[in-house]
Amino acid sequence: MSNLKAKYTFVSPTTGNTYVLHVQTGPLTNPIRTIDNPNCIGWTIVSGTFVAVVDGVSTSYNVPSGNTLMIYNGLWQSAAASPDGSVLCQGIDRLFVFVSSDNGNTSISANSNNSIQISLGTLNDTATLSNFVFPPQ
């Protein structure tokens, strides 16, 4: 079976920055093994990219695959099925993005069902979901 794909486009109402998240996932898995919630339900991330367009300059970051030692990158079926039961933004909750060997991982966290908080180095931004493909297809 080929990997499924999910895609999100976010726009910051404050800065005008655009963010595009594109991930490939495995099939819906029940449960997904996590440290916080052993009964998580969702799609494991196989690979992905996070592109930030800041002041007209595009930078691409790697989204690591799920099931790492201390984190689990996945798209969650519902808030109850997420690692900590917090709010989701169309499946996104505590998504880790690899920034660089210097900065390590940074996270994308859901603020609501249609907005996220992004921290990339010195950039801290909130962006609203403008377009998405979820659940993965």
Side-chain angles (χ1 to χ4, degrees), residues 3-70:
N3 292 335
L4 305 173
K5 296 179 181 176
K7 183 177 181 180
Y8 304 82
T9 303
F10 300 94
V11 177
S12 171
T14 307
T15 64
N17 296 337
T18 301
Y19 306 95
V20 179
L21 173 67
H22 185 256
V23 294
Q24 292 189 48
T25 73
L28 182 65
T29 304
N30 177 16
I32 292 177
R33 185 174 59 85
T34 69
I35 293 171
D36 296 342
N37 180 353
N39 299 313
C40 290
I41 301 168
W43 296 262
T44 60
I45 290 177
V46 175
S47 65
T49 57
F50 182 72
V51 178
V53 182
V54 178
D55 297 328
V57 178
S58 176
T59 307
S60 182
Y61 303 95
N62 180 45
V63 179
S65 62
N67 206 14
T68 59
L69 182 61
M70 294 303 292

Side-chain angles (χ1 to χ4, degrees), residues 104-120:
N105 288 328
T106 190
S107 65
I108 298 172
S109 303
N111 287 335
S112 70
N113 64 346
N114 69 346
S115 71
I116 58 170
Q117 179 68 41
I118 303 162
S119 298
L120 291 171

Side-chain angles (χ1 to χ4, degrees), residues 55-111:
D55 297 328
V57 178
S58 176
T59 307
S60 182
Y61 303 95
N62 180 45
V63 179
S65 62
N67 206 14
T68 59
L69 182 61
M70 294 303 292
I71 63 170
Y72 197 104
N73 265 1
L75 299 179
W76 311 106
Q77 188 180 45
S78 67
S82 74
D84 58 7
S86 64
V87 67
L88 292 182
C89 181
Q90 296 299 323
I92 297 174
D93 172 37
R94 294 191 318 173
L95 185 67
F96 286 84
V97 176
F98 184 73
V99 177
S100 73
S101 57
D102 295 334
N103 293 332
N105 288 328
T106 190
S107 65
I108 298 172
S109 303
N111 287 335

